[in-house]
């Protein structure tokens, strides 16, 4: 076999002339052993070399390295300079720096009357390539597949439009609006900011016009998605709002009787996308209002939400892991749908329990359990909670109706069967939903001297076990188990005319069951072997 000849390229940078610690002009920098302004007398006063090794590009496979040190045993101490060959131990390194344009700064071409049209054709579009023409080896591919990379978005990527990106004004440093905030894909946002206005210039302020928010189409695959007007609500000076009919689509700001009418006070974007990250529809709902001459600034509100096609919009509690303080998403399996894929799930809300949401009893000021029936509070991830009320029992109360009423107070009208393991779990992802384990425990009260007794529920305890999932750098919260425990007690019949008050409590406890991370060195044993010289071929 013929021997493979490998010759390192000639060095481009002379490391002997590089000195990053040379800061003073025509003066010797202290302990800077590579400073050409330092003399032998200066070196004799040095205590150490602040930069002992100087190299060019650390990604090169082989290069020259300037090594500086001090010989303290000499009298006087002197500097020692060596130029050695340094080899990069990584198998992924740069063998030759053959792209000459990257080795120096190329002065930009100054536009003139002769080359203006040429520069405009090359750099006047929304995007352009900075690569030289010599890199285009495929001359037949005039429209490569990468030309439509903007059609599929990743999480957090700015939503691109014809003139840049979809604007979502927000306060940056102060409370004043900044239009330089791009809307991120799948990032639901809601912002409020202050906008300076003038009635005399009402029709010339772009941020007050509906066209400023809908006149640019969103970049998609082979077509562009226009932003349609979903609805328009007009707000009067006294705050009264009126929904306009669908026939009235566009209203521009104008001055009328010393008022600026049709000024944009709020915009609500709604973006529909596919499961592959392609935007297929965009709509905007506007709130327009009137501004009086005395008004110098107004507050504008902006909101954007994303919904996957053929799915119901469900608020997320994280992406993917849960965020502390957001509701734990729960749901149930309706009757008549035996398949797990037919689960219907809903997110939590601070309202009634009609959608089978995971909620607990909401404490009231009266502490009356019968009056608090129907008042629910959402279970927030990471928040240990406890609430309760007091129940006044009389001899006239029947056992079974009382037990059912207390059960409704503790669990709500429709207690959910499943909890989402992630904050962004979708209904079609069956394995992303954790069943709720329900337990019943009975305990004995101090017996009374009466004959009959019954079991009534007095407490509901929910334990949510979660773990850190994914990378150690950015772990995501994942729910792995949920247990709901109903504790009942035995209550005997009270004598006529007597009353008894018992406490009713609900609680939620979050438990972190994450396993501690083990050091990585335990998984990689040490192997002492000598590799053949061409083991990493074709890598140098």
């Amino acid at each position: 076999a013929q021997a493979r000849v490998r010759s390192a390229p000639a060095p481009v940078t002379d490391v002997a002339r590089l000195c990053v610690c040379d800061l003073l002009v025509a003066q010797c920098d202290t302990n800077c052993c590579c400073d050409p302004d330092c003399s032998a007398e200066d070196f004799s006063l040095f205590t150490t070399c602040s930069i002992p090794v100087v190299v060019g590009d650390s990604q090169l496979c082989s290069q020259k390295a300037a090594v500086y040190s001090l010989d303290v045993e000499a009298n006087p101490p002197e500097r020692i300079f060596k130029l050695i060959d340094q080899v990069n131990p990584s198998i992924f390194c740069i063998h030759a720096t053959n792209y000459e344009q990257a080795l120096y700064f190329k002065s930009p071409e100054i536009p003139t009357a002769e080359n203006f049209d040429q520069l405009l054709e090359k750099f006047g579009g929304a995007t352009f390539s900075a690569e030289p023409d010599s890199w285009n080896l495929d001359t037949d591919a005039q429209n490569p597949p990468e030309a439509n990379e903007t059609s599929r978005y990743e999480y957090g990527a700015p939503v691109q439009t014809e003139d840049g990106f979809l604007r979502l004004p927000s306060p940056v440093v102060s409370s004043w609006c900044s239009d330089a905030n791009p809307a991120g894909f799948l990032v639901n946002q809601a912002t409020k900011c202050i906008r300076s206005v003038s009635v005399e210039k009402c029709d010339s302020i772009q941020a007050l016009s509906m066209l400023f928010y809908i006149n640019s189409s969103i970049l998609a695959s082979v077509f562009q998605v226009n932003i349609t007007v979903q609805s328009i609500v007009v707000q009067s000076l006294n705050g009264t709002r009126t929904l306009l009919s669908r026939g009235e689509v566009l209203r521009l700001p104008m001055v009328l009787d010393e008022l600026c009418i049709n000024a944009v006070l709020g915009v609500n974007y709604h973006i529909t996308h596919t499961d592959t990250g392609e935007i297929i529809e965009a709509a905007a709902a506007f709130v327009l209002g009137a501004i009086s001459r005395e008004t110098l600034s107004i507050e504008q509100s902006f909101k954007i939400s994303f919904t996957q096609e053929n799915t119901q919009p469900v608020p997320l509690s994280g992406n993917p892991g849960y965020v502390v303080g957001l509701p734990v998403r729960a749901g149930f399996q309706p009757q008549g749908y035996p398949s797990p894929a037919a689960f219907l799930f809903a997110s939590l809300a601070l309202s009634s329990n009609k959608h089978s949401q995971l909620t607990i009893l909401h404490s009231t000021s009266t502490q009356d359990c019968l009056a608090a029936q129907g008042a629910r509070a959402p279970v927030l991830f990471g928040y240990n909670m406890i609430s309760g009320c007091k129940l006044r029992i009389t001899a006239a109360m029947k056992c079974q109706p009382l037990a059912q009423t207390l059960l409704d107070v503790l669990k709500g009208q429709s207690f959910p069967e499943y909890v989402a393991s992630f904050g962004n779990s979708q209904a079609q992802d069956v394995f992303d939903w954790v069943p709720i384990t329900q337990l019943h425990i009975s305990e004995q009260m101090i017996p009374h001297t009466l004959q009959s007794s019954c079991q009534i529920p007095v407490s509901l305890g929910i334990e949510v076990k979660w773990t850190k999932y994914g990378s150690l750098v950015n772990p995501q919260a994942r729910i792995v188990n949920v247990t709901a425990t109903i504790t009942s007690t035995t209550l005997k019949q009270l004598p006529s005319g007597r009353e008894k008050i018992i406490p009713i409590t609900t609680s939620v406890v979050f438990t972190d069951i994450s396993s501690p991370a083990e050091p990585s060195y335990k998984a990689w044993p040490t192997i002492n072997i000598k590799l053949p010289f061409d083991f990493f071929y074709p890598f140098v």
Side-chain angles (χ1 to χ4, degrees), residues 433-460:
W433 295 85
V434 179
I436 300 177
T437 303
Q438 300 190 31
L439 303 178
H440 294 270
I441 300 177
S442 299
E443 61 180 16
Q444 298 293 329
M445 288 184 61
I446 299 177
H448 294 280
T449 58
L450 297 182
Q451 300 178 355
S452 60
S453 63
C454 71
Q455 292 278 337
I456 60 172
V458 293
S459 69
L460 168 63

Side-chain angles (χ1 to χ4, degrees), residues 30 55 74 116 139 162 228 269 287 333 396 399 410 424:
T30 305
V55 295
F116 181 81
T139 57
E162 293 176 307
T228 59
Y269 290 108
V287 176
Q333 180 180 6
C399 176
L410 293 174
N424 66 345

Side-chain angles (χ1 to χ4, degrees), residues 33-292:
C33 296
C34 58
D35 192 345
D37 299 323
C38 297
S39 61
E41 296 178 356
D42 297 326
F43 291 137
S44 65
L45 301 177
F46 286 3
T47 58
T48 184
C49 290
S50 59
I51 305 295
V53 180
V54 178
V55 295
D57 190 350
S58 60
Q59 296 182 350
L60 292 176
C61 298
S62 177
Q63 61 179 322
K64 293 292 183 179
V67 180
Y68 299 92
S69 61
L70 292 177
D71 185 4
V72 295
E73 296 180 357
N75 189 17
E78 59 183 17
R79 182 197 68 169
I80 300 176
F81 168 73
K82 294 181 180 180
L83 195 63
I84 63 174
D85 291 327
Q86 188 179 60
V87 178
N88 192 343
S90 175
I91 62 174
F92 298 104
C93 54
I94 300 176
H95 178 60
T97 54
N98 52 5
Y99 182 36
E100 297 181 358
Q101 297 186 20
L103 302 179
Y104 60 90
F105 176 73
K106 184 179 179 181
S107 300
E109 190 174 356
I110 304 300
T112 62
E114 290 75 16
N115 63 0
F116 181 81
D117 294 337
Q118 179 183 357
L119 295 178
L120 182 63
E121 181 180 358
K122 183 176 182 180
F123 301 104
T127 59
F128 59 87
S129 175
E131 298 177 354
D133 297 336
S134 59
W135 283 30
N136 187 12
L137 302 179
D138 188 6
T139 57
D140 295 332
Q142 298 295 333
N143 296 317
E146 291 80 4
N148 292 325
E149 285 185 351
T150 55
S151 62
R152 303 181 188 274
Y153 290 90
E154 297 180 354
Y155 174 81
V159 178
Q160 300 183 24
T161 60
E162 293 176 307
D163 57 353
F165 49 80
L166 183 62
R167 305 180 185 90
L168 193 70
S170 64
V172 180
V173 179
S174 61
S175 59
W176 296 99
C177 293
S178 172
D179 298 326
N181 178 45
F185 184 66
L186 294 184
V187 180
N188 297 331
Q189 299 183 63
T191 62
K192 290 183 179 181
C193 55
I194 304 299
R195 181 86 62 180
S196 177
V197 296
S198 174
V199 174
E200 291 77 9
K201 302 178 181 179
C202 171
D203 52 356
S204 62
I205 301 177
Q206 292 185 348
L208 300 181
S209 174
M210 293 176 56
L211 291 176
F212 182 71
Y213 306 97
I214 62 173
N215 63 350
S216 184
S217 302
I218 296 177
L219 299 184
S221 55
V222 295
F223 58 91
Q224 296 178 349
V225 178
N226 295 325
I227 303 177
T228 59
V229 178
Q230 187 178 32
S231 63
I232 299 178
V233 174
V234 177
Q235 177 176 307
S236 62
L237 290 176
N238 58 6
T240 304
R241 293 191 173 187
T242 304
L243 178 63
L244 298 183
S245 61
R246 300 182 60 89
E248 303 181 46
V249 177
L250 186 62
R251 286 195 170 191
L252 299 179
M254 59 182 298
V255 180
L256 180 63
D257 296 334
E258 297 186 351
L259 292 177
C260 175
I261 62 174
N262 300 331
V264 174
L265 302 181
V267 184
N268 188 352
Y269 290 108
H270 185 74
I271 309 298
T272 305
H273 62 91
T274 63
D275 55 350
T276 59
E278 182 178 353
I279 296 177
I280 59 176
E281 187 178 348
F286 289 90
V287 176
L288 306 182
I291 304 174
S292 61

Side-chain angles (χ1 to χ4, degrees), residues 358-374:
L358 183 60
T359 56
I360 64 173
L361 173 65
H362 181 69
S363 299
T364 61
S365 58
T366 60
Q367 293 293 308
D368 186 358
C369 289
L370 299 181
Q373 186 176 4

Side-chain angles (χ1 to χ4, degrees), residues 303-528:
K303 185 178 180 180
I304 186 171
S305 59
F306 295 83
T307 302
Q308 183 176 326
E309 65 172 343
N310 301 325
T311 60
Q312 294 294 330
V314 177
L316 302 182
S317 296
N319 195 16
Y322 275 98
V323 176
V324 176
L326 294 184
V328 176
R329 304 175 62 224
F332 65 101
Q333 180 180 6
Q335 296 181 357
Y337 291 86
S339 172
F343 292 162
L344 297 180
F345 297 101
S347 65
L348 301 182
L350 187 60
S351 61
S352 63
N353 204 16
K354 61 182 180 179
H355 296 300
S356 186
Q357 300 164 352
L358 183 60
T359 56
I360 64 173
L361 173 65
H362 181 69
S363 299
T364 61
S365 58
T366 60
Q367 293 293 308
D368 186 358
C369 289
L370 299 181
Q373 186 176 4
R376 311 295 297 176
V379 176
L380 305 180
F381 182 82
Y383 285 6
N384 295 337
M385 308 169 64
I386 185 170
S387 62
C389 59
K390 294 180 181 180
L391 177 65
R392 184 185 301 272
I393 301 178
T394 62
M397 290 184 176
K398 302 297 183 181
C399 176
Q400 295 301 328
L402 177 61
Q404 184 61 44
T405 300
L406 290 179
L407 193 62
D408 293 340
V409 170
L410 293 174
K411 300 178 62 176
Q413 295 296 325
S414 181
F415 195 75
E417 301 173 349
Y418 296 86
V419 166
S421 58
F422 292 101
N424 66 345
S425 298
Q426 300 295 325
Q428 61 269 21
D429 300 331
V430 179
F431 297 103
D432 274 0
W433 295 85
V434 179
I436 300 177
T437 303
Q438 300 190 31
L439 303 178
H440 294 270
I441 300 177
S442 299
E443 61 180 16
Q444 298 293 329
M445 288 184 61
I446 299 177
H448 294 280
T449 58
L450 297 182
Q451 300 178 355
S452 60
S453 63
C454 71
Q455 292 278 337
I456 60 172
V458 293
S459 69
L460 168 63
I462 300 176
E463 183 183 16
V464 181
K465 296 181 179 180
W466 65 280
T467 182
K468 298 181 179 69
Y469 180 84
S471 171
L472 294 177
V473 179
N474 185 24
Q476 302 294 311
R478 175 186 184 183
I479 295 178
V480 295
N481 181 267
V482 179
T483 303
T485 303
I486 293 287
T487 302
S488 301
T489 187
T490 301
L491 179 65
K492 292 190 175 183
Q493 181 69 35
L494 294 175
S496 177
R498 295 188 59 182
E499 296 181 351
K500 185 177 182 64
I501 297 178
I502 60 174
I504 306 297
T505 60
T506 59
S507 62
V508 179
V509 176
F510 287 84
T511 305
D512 184 3
I513 60 172
S514 304
S515 301
E518 297 183 359
S520 59
Y521 62 81
K522 291 185 179 180
W524 298 98
T526 302
I527 304 176
N528 295 320

